[in-house]
Amino acid sequence: MSMYPSLEDMKVDQMLQAQNTVPSNASTDASLPYPMLPTAPAPYPQPAPPYPTLTNATQPSAPGHAYPGLAEYMGMELSEAIIRDNMPEYLQNNQTALSVPSARPTSYGGGMIGGGMIAPISGASPGLVRAQVSHGVRQVVLCKDGSGKIGLKVKAVNKGIFVCLVAKESPAALGGLRFGDQILQVNGENLAGYSTDKVHGILKKASVNNIVMAVRDRPFERALTLHKDSSGHIGFQFKEGKITSIAVDSSAARNGLLIDHNLLEVNGQNVVGVKDKDIGNIIEEGGNVITVTIIPSYIYNHIMKSMSSSLVKKMMDHSIPDV
């Protein structure tokens, strides 16, 4: 089953596949405008896709109308004329379509293979790659700086330990730790059930070099890829980083953005503690495709409880991560 970073990517991919479907209805990889991952044979019946498949009933009835029902889908109009007027960079001849790596696997008969997301209109956005949230576990090896610090503050939430501050230009920042990461182990010691102070004590007593952590990638967070309309809007408002309203028929509405969530990243850049005006500028200058990373506000408030706002603004790493 194909996966996409946004609903717009899925609908445009379907439209392109319809345009490239041969009369015999036997589509091949060569007919697609971008590469596809090889698929293994499935010994068991596969679940039906969550959207209509391309059958003879949905084949274009006349040139210029490759996907007749597209305009009726949640008010989303993506005819060639509309795309040409509002999003010319998304026309088939102007696209840079990529397969975006994803940690979400695809199952084939009990085995697991690496999956991928098809991004015919989002693939050229570096923010899409920077903002991917995998929820997977990785190993991070840190050392202390000249002051004997690693530049990290944590918070205990529901018997787990979560990163609440990564200092700019610190060993923690250089090691790739991000707000909301869950630290599972430090030097082989399980942290489940530990208090905030106990973990800070463990980190303080750790040796200067080879501090080995097992880290789960931001389990409370998710990333959504949104597309600006012809007026440059993606369809939501926020106050003090908290999403307060979503515009009807906007990309934010189509892709499932929710209120009562806080913005953590825009195109992979941390915006915790950043003023709303500055976040708006990051979105405005971020290109036509914007990927936002969000977290439920009640989790965010718990993690940030007792954290000085001035400390966050002064210390938090707001640099743009490397792709």
Side-chain angles (χ1 to χ4, degrees), residues 9 16 27 30 57 95 122 136 150 162 169 186 192 214 228 247 250 253 295 305 312-313:
D9 280 293
L16 292 176
S27 116
Q95 288 175 7
S122 302
I150 60 175
F162 294 83
E169 300 178 354
V186 173
K228 292 181 180 177
S250 65
I295 188 172
K305 187 177 181 180
V312 173
K313 292 178 182 178

Side-chain angles (χ1 to χ4, degrees), residues 177-198:
L177 287 175
R178 298 166 93 155
F179 182 98
D181 276 340
Q182 182 181 7
I183 304 178
L184 305 177
Q185 292 184 340
V186 173
N187 292 334
E189 182 175 356
N190 293 322
L191 303 185
Y194 283 12
S195 68
T196 299
D197 290 340
K198 185 171 183 177

Side-chain angles (χ1 to χ4, degrees), residues 22-288:
V22 296
S24 63
N25 204 33
S27 116
T28 63
D29 288 349
S31 69
L32 297 177
Y34 43 84
M36 293 289 291
L37 291 176
T39 56
Y44 304 111
Q46 298 298 299
Y51 47 84
T53 56
L54 293 173
T55 64
N56 290 333
T58 59
Q59 294 304 312
S61 56
H65 299 279
Y67 210 92
L70 192 59
E72 301 173 4
Y73 189 88
M74 296 180 67
M76 184 178 176
E77 175 65 72
L78 278 178
S79 67
E80 183 174 351
I82 293 296
I83 294 175
R84 187 179 302 280
D85 291 341
N86 297 281
M87 303 182 293
E89 65 274 17
Y90 297 155
L91 288 173
Q92 185 171 353
N93 293 337
N94 298 333
Q95 288 175 7
T96 303
L98 303 176
S99 179
V100 180
S102 168
R104 179 164 183 163
T106 303
S107 175
Y108 290 100
M112 306 297 286
I113 66 170
M117 288 193 294
I118 302 169
I121 58 177
S122 302
S125 169
L128 176 61
V129 179
R130 290 196 298 259
Q132 288 300 298
V133 178
S134 72
H135 296 162
V137 177
R138 68 188 188 277
Q139 179 174 283
V140 176
V141 181
L142 303 178
C143 63
K144 295 182 178 179
D145 61 17
S147 302
K149 298 180 179 180
I150 60 175
L152 179 69
K153 284 186 176 295
V154 301
K155 181 76 172 182
V157 180
N158 294 347
K159 302 299 182 180
I161 297 298
F162 294 83
V163 174
C164 61
L165 187 144
V166 177
K168 55 187 175 183
E169 300 178 354
S170 66
L174 296 175
L177 287 175
R178 298 166 93 155
F179 182 98
D181 276 340
Q182 182 181 7
I183 304 178
L184 305 177
Q185 292 184 340
V186 173
N187 292 334
E189 182 175 356
N190 293 322
L191 303 185
Y194 283 12
S195 68
T196 299
D197 290 340
K198 185 171 183 177
V199 175
H200 283 154
I202 291 173
L203 296 175
K204 185 175 182 179
K205 294 176 183 178
S207 61
V208 174
N209 297 313
N210 294 323
I211 303 172
V212 181
M213 297 182 176
V215 179
R216 181 174 295 282
D217 185 49
R218 300 167 288 172
F220 288 128
E221 303 173 24
R222 63 189 183 114
L224 292 89
T225 298
L226 311 176
H227 300 259
K228 292 181 180 177
D229 58 22
S230 57
S231 62
H233 297 130
I234 51 180
F236 69 93
Q237 293 181 333
F238 56 92
K239 183 177 181 180
E240 297 181 353
K242 181 179 178 179
I243 299 169
T244 57
S245 63
I246 298 171
V248 177
D249 292 333
S250 65
S251 184
R254 287 192 294 267
N255 285 286
L257 190 68
L258 302 174
I259 63 170
D260 295 329
H261 281 64
N262 276 69
L263 291 169
L264 298 182
E265 294 180 355
V266 175
N267 284 344
Q269 180 180 358
N270 183 290
V271 294
V272 175
V274 176
K275 295 180 179 178
D276 287 348
K277 181 179 179 180
D278 295 329
I279 296 176
N281 290 336
I282 294 173
I283 293 174
E284 183 177 349
E285 298 170 2
N288 289 325

